Amino acid sequence: MISIIYFILATAMFFLQDTYFKVGGVDFSLKNPCAFAILFLALLNFTATVRLNRVVLLARHTAVQVLPYLIPFLFSSVIWVASGADAVTIANGIGMIIPQLLSVCVAVATLYLFGEKGIWYCLGSMCAANFLLVLVVIAEGGLGPFLMEFRTLLLSFAVESGPLMTKLEINDLTFAFGPFILYLLLNRKEVSHSFLWMLVVALLFVLGLKRIAIPAILLGFLVAFILRLLPEKASRQTALCLAVGMMLVSFLYIAGIRLGLFEYLETALQIDTKGRLGMFTNLEPYYDINFTFMGRGIGFERYVDWQTGAVFQTPQRTIMQIHNDFLRMYLNMGFVGYWIWLWCFLIVRLRYWFRQGGKNAGCLFLSICIYCFVLYATDKTIYYPYTMIACALVPMSYHMDSLADKALEQHCAQWEDAS
């Protein structure tokens, strides 16, 4: 019964992303009540079962997974106090942190309910929701036009997309399949019916094809595959060195943008940056590449339409977002905050997963980080709730049942020694 209730709630959550209702003139997505219902379902199950082994392990996992979301809040709080920010600004910033925490909580609730099998309940719900979206689009436009547009989408590699395919181009849902694909590729021998899962997920992934996600998956898989061939210690050390390199590259990318990288791409190399040059030009008055740059606080980007440069007195949800999450986080948290955020996002969590789950778990987590970093460089995925659920759930589910039993045994031994 619990599995059926969860499947219905999770499918509705993934299906209702773009369906909103108003409370006090503010738009709220219908996916959020479904997410809270999943949390309530897990809470009820907890009161009846109290699986201490899962509680102990998930408490550790949760603390590590939410760290990159709490660091921006900490630095933003300092910025808000120092700048004398008003209640609207603070509420806007907190309103961007809460969905991130909610996404991690949904992943944790799923794993508490089903253990490591929770990954398949979540992925199955995502697939069901996507299939429902496909059926809705086919019902509206007809099967023939749908297949023709799908053929055009594949042949043009998403350069050309008809109105029916555009309706399926739900970025968050498409990007959320990435971590699951990496899991299936790296653990295909351990997964029952892995070929069938991959076939279904790949089909849904290409229906909402995002070109940047292809190299992101390939790079993440290739790096993790190579590192898994190394001995445990060499794999861990190499992964940490790569993580430090990723941090440096992300910062150099921000500095390059400030120094005219995209202007060079458009003028000298004649590359169409899809409006990003104008966007980054509009950003220039709001940040500096300087140790003293304090940042503007989480949610500041909602006050400016980065496509036109128009400034608003109140935050706007529907304006053009910054298509570069590294620059977004640097703008929000400042120089020091950005480096601490990166350190927690990569180094702290990567060391945790290598220590907690061994070489394979650490490499899986690194592959997801690489996937995210490629997306962050050109898109605005860091606040996508479905992608955040996937990025949290996939590494936490890896060999969770055996790790949970081991964690409880360790705590019991500590309690006995203490007594």
Side-chain angles (χ1 to χ4, degrees):
M1 178 59 72
I2 291 178
S3 59
I4 295 174
I5 296 174
Y6 173 86
F7 187 81
I8 293 172
L9 290 173
T11 301
M13 178 183 68
F14 290 121
F15 182 79
L16 296 172
Q17 171 177 299
D18 294 324
T19 306
Y20 293 87
F21 64 98
K22 285 186 178 293
V23 176
V26 180
D27 288 333
F28 291 92
S29 174
L30 272 176
K31 70 176 181 294
N32 292 327
C34 298
F36 281 111
I38 291 173
L39 301 188
F40 184 67
L41 179 65
L43 180 61
L44 287 179
N45 186 259
F46 169 75
T47 59
T49 59
V50 192
R51 300 183 179 94
L52 285 179
N53 56 346
R54 294 181 184 177
V55 171
V56 170
L57 183 69
L58 287 174
R60 296 178 185 173
H61 285 356
T62 304
V64 172
Q65 289 300 102
V66 301
L67 189 59
Y69 308 136
L70 295 179
I71 293 298
F73 175 70
L74 175 64
F75 275 87
S76 295
S77 298
V78 175
I79 294 168
W80 293 331
V81 171
S83 62
D86 58 25
V88 173
T89 299
I90 296 173
N92 172 56
I94 294 175
M96 298 188 73
I97 298 292
I98 289 176
Q100 293 181 312
L101 300 178
L102 179 60
S103 295
V104 175
C105 289
V106 168
V108 171
T110 301
L111 294 175
Y112 179 81
L113 288 170
F114 307 111
E116 63 187 45
K117 292 182 180 179
I119 187 174
W120 309 119
Y121 284 94
C122 183
L123 181 56
S125 301
M126 281 179 56
C127 292
N130 212 327
F131 272 121
L132 287 175
L133 290 169
V134 171
L135 292 176
V136 170
V137 170
I138 292 176
E140 291 178 357
L143 180 60
F146 176 85
L147 293 176
M148 288 294 293
E149 288 189 18
F150 183 45
R151 178 176 178 273
T152 301
L153 179 79
L154 294 178
L155 293 178
S156 67
F157 195 50
V159 173
E160 298 179 25
S161 180
L164 298 181
M165 288 296 104
T166 301
K167 292 181 179 180
L168 291 177
E169 193 181 342
I170 301 175
N171 297 352
D172 191 4
L173 200 52
T174 299
F175 286 138
F177 282 119
F180 291 103
I181 292 175
L182 286 169
Y183 183 92
L184 289 167
L185 289 173
L186 291 169
N187 302 286
R188 56 192 180 280
K189 294 181 180 180
E190 301 177 17
V191 177
S192 300
H193 312 296
S194 60
F195 177 77
L196 180 60
W197 274 114
M198 181 59 75
L199 186 66
V200 173
V201 173
L203 173 62
L204 296 173
F205 181 76
V206 297
L207 279 171
L209 183 62
K210 300 297 294 181
R211 285 172 291 175
I212 190 60
I214 302 297
I217 289 174
L218 292 177
L219 183 60
F221 169 71
L222 180 62
V223 171
F225 178 79
I226 293 174
L227 291 187
R228 280 188 169 192
L229 299 177
L230 301 176
E232 179 86 22
K233 184 177 180 180
S235 177
R236 182 178 67 255
Q237 291 176 340
T238 305
L240 290 171
C241 289
L242 287 173
V244 171
M246 290 164 63
M247 293 170 62
L248 292 173
V249 168
S250 74
F251 181 76
L252 291 175
Y253 183 46
I254 295 172
I257 290 172
R258 181 70 185 193
L259 295 174
L261 172 64
F262 276 75
E263 183 178 1
Y264 174 78
L265 292 176
E266 284 211 347
T267 57
L269 302 183
Q270 301 296 309
I271 296 176
D272 183 8
T273 62
K274 306 295 184 182
R276 284 174 173 78
L277 175 58
M279 179 184 299
F280 296 146
T281 300
N282 291 331
L283 267 161
E284 289 182 2
Y286 300 100
Y287 75 102
D288 293 305
I289 305 300
N290 192 308
F291 181 81
T292 60
F293 176 61
M294 187 176 181
R296 303 280 178 165
I298 291 295
F300 172 78
E301 64 267 33
R302 284 181 170 178
Y303 284 89
V304 182
D305 184 341
W306 301 108
Q307 187 174 42
T308 64
V311 181
F312 300 90
Q313 295 301 311
T314 56
Q316 309 291 312
R317 183 179 59 84
T318 56
I319 61 177
M320 175 61 71
Q321 295 289 318
I322 303 171
H323 281 60
N324 183 321
D325 284 326
F326 296 125
L327 187 51
R328 179 205 294 252
M329 298 307 290
Y330 183 83
L331 172 72
N332 287 338
M333 289 189 295
F335 188 97
V336 175
Y338 180 77
W339 281 105
I340 293 177
W341 170 73
L342 272 182
W343 184 266
C344 294
F345 189 101
L346 278 173
I347 305 300
V348 173
R349 297 199 298 172
L350 189 60
R351 292 179 64 183
Y352 172 81
W353 287 112
F354 267 100
R355 183 175 65 252
Q356 185 73 37
K359 177 174 65 176
N360 289 348
C363 291
L364 172 63
F365 179 75
L366 178 63
S367 72
I368 294 172
C369 288
I370 293 172
Y371 172 76
C372 290
F373 265 49
V374 175
L375 300 184
Y376 292 171
T378 62
D379 219 302
K380 47 184 175 60
T381 57
I382 201 165
Y383 289 111
Y384 284 173
Y386 301 157
T387 305
M388 286 187 286
I389 290 173
C391 290
L393 186 143
V394 170
M396 287 196 294
S397 69
Y398 189 73
H399 288 180
M400 177 191 157
D401 292 343
S402 59
L403 290 174
D405 292 338
K406 180 180 178 182
L408 183 59
E409 290 175 1
Q410 290 175 345
H411 272 269
C412 288
Q414 293 173 358
W415 293 333
E416 289 178 359
D417 292 341
S419 60

